[in-house]
Amino acid sequence: MADWQALGYEDGAQGRGLDYMGKRRESCAKYAIQLNASAYRGGRDEGLELFCTELRGFSEGRAGENYNGACPADLEGLFLRGYETGRDLFTAQSAVQELEAAIHDRELEREHLLDDMTEIGALLVADEATREERVTLLADITRLKLRHSELGHEIEDLRFELGQRHMEYQDLVARSPYPR
C-alpha cells in the first residue's frame, strides 16, 4: 500500500505542481491502486514548506530551473524574491559563458583559416599549378585573409562585450544577499 502522505511530501519538497498528483494517479491506476488525494495534498503542503523558502528560490533560480507556481500564496513572495535574484545571476552568468564560447569558436575558425592559407600557399608555389589555378588560389587566399581579419574584429568586439557582461555579473554577485 502506498504512503500517499509521504509521496505528497516528497513531491512538495521537490516543488512539483499539483498536476503531478495526476501522474501519480495514472501510474497507480495501472496496478489498481487508488490515490488518497487528501493524504497526498496534506503531505505535499508540508513538503512545500520545505521547498518554498527564499533560499531555495535563490538556489532554483541560480540553477536556471523554471518555477511552475507550486508555492502557496503565503510562501510565494519570499520564494520569488530569492528566485528572481538567483535567476538574474543565472542569466548574467549564461551571457558570459555564451560570449566566451563565441570567442572560442571564432578563434578556432581563425586557426583553421591560417591552416587553409598555408595549404593554398603550398599549392600556389607548386610547379604543377597552372596560371589559371594560381589566379584562383590567390583569390582564395585574399578571401581567407579578409575573413581572418573580420574574425579578428569580431573577437575584439566580443571581448569588449565580455568585459561588460563579466562586470555586470560580478556586480550582481557582490550585491547578492545569498551565499555563493
Side-chain angles (χ1 to χ4, degrees):
M1 179 135 183
D3 183 347
W4 292 111
Q5 184 166 355
L7 289 172
Y9 182 85
E10 178 184 315
D11 291 347
Q14 294 299 315
R16 293 184 179 127
L18 197 53
D19 61 326
Y20 204 79
M21 182 173 70
K23 293 177 184 173
R24 296 271 192 198
R25 178 179 285 135
E26 287 176 23
S27 295
C28 290
K30 295 174 188 174
Y31 303 100
I33 298 173
Q34 290 229 325
L35 173 84
N36 181 334
S38 63
Y40 179 88
R41 281 190 184 105
R44 182 177 170 274
D45 289 345
E46 290 176 26
L48 285 174
E49 289 180 22
L50 181 67
F51 178 80
C52 298
T53 65
E54 188 174 357
L55 193 54
R56 181 67 182 260
F58 174 76
S59 177
E60 293 287 309
R62 184 79 172 88
E65 299 294 335
N66 291 320
Y67 173 57
N68 63 6
C71 294
D74 62 325
L75 300 175
E76 190 171 53
L78 283 175
F79 178 88
L80 286 175
R81 182 184 324 170
Y83 180 81
E84 289 166 5
T85 301
R87 191 67 178 193
D88 288 346
L89 279 168
F90 173 79
T91 301
Q93 186 176 34
S94 294
V96 166
Q97 291 169 340
E98 287 173 18
L99 287 166
E100 289 171 341
I103 290 168
H104 177 74
D105 291 346
R106 282 162 180 80
E107 287 172 340
L108 281 178
E109 186 178 346
R110 283 187 93 195
E111 288 177 24
H112 291 153
L113 289 172
L114 289 175
D115 292 342
D116 292 347
M117 285 188 274
T118 301
E119 288 178 25
I120 292 171
L123 294 172
L124 187 62
V125 297
D127 292 336
E128 301 85 36
T130 66
R131 181 176 174 5
E132 295 80 28
E133 290 172 335
R134 289 177 193 200
V135 168
T136 301
L137 292 171
L138 281 172
D140 289 345
I141 288 176
T142 301
R143 180 181 50 80
L144 293 174
K145 282 183 178 179
L146 178 62
R147 179 63 184 148
H148 190 268
S149 178
E150 288 170 353
L151 287 169
H153 294 299
E154 288 178 25
I155 290 169
E156 285 177 25
D157 292 345
L158 288 169
R159 283 189 177 142
F160 177 78
E161 187 176 351
L162 175 62
Q164 298 293 338
R165 298 291 168 253
H166 191 68
M167 285 189 324
E168 289 171 9
Y169 171 71
Q170 291 300 327
D171 185 50
L172 285 172
V173 168
R175 288 186 293 129
S176 173
Y178 305 101
R180 293 169 193 37

